[in-house]
Amino acid sequence: MQQIPVDTAGAMLMVAQPPQPKYANQKTQERAADTRTGELLSTLDVLFVKDGNAEVVKITVPESSIVGELVMGTQVGITGLVARPWENEFNGQKRHGISFRAAFVSVQTAGASQAEAA
């Protein structure tokens, strides 16, 4: 699967929705896990503001890679953010989009630059 690195330099990243468990199956509440490590995954909604544009993106991250208390409005640093295009077919309807995955997410300390956090 193709991965496209996302440049967060110069962007303000802020928690829009705190981390939530990611489920492989919502009905059975089966948790999603990293296919390589087996580690459980969480999702985090982040407000991504750069060059006067703002967008909320949902980022998947391994649970152990979330550092600090990430509550709504907290500025964060993100390391290893990649975008992955996807496509599937469900009930005869083709769907497509972009998913985001990060290696590490932490609270951005006051005075630290994005480069220091990433």
Side-chain angles (χ1 to χ4, degrees):
M1 180 185 318
Q2 181 180 1
Q3 294 185 30
I4 304 162
V6 177
D7 181 12
T8 60
M12 183 185 71
L13 306 166
M14 187 181 302
V15 175
Q17 189 72 281
Q20 301 292 317
K22 182 171 182 162
Y23 295 100
N25 184 325
Q26 283 286 86
K27 287 183 180 181
T28 64
Q29 296 290 291
E30 176 190 351
R31 292 289 307 275
D34 185 282
T35 55
R36 287 183 300 121
T37 66
E39 184 172 1
L40 295 178
L41 300 171
S42 290
T43 60
L44 171 71
D45 288 354
V46 173
L47 178 64
F48 190 102
V49 182
K50 187 171 183 178
D51 299 330
N53 297 310
E55 181 144 356
V56 174
V57 295
K58 185 176 293 293
I59 299 172
T60 299
V61 63
E63 284 188 347
S64 69
S65 298
I66 298 172
V67 177
E69 189 173 342
L70 303 182
V71 296
M72 187 181 297
T74 303
Q75 198 166 345
V76 293
I78 299 177
T79 303
L81 183 61
V82 294
R84 296 177 180 173
W86 60 268
E87 180 177 282
N88 64 23
E89 190 169 328
F90 183 73
N91 290 336
Q93 298 285 345
K94 283 198 174 204
R95 299 174 54 202
H96 57 90
I98 299 172
S99 64
F100 295 89
R101 176 84 181 249
F104 191 79
V105 177
S106 64
V107 172
Q108 180 80 31
T109 56
S113 70
Q114 280 300 113
E116 290 169 346

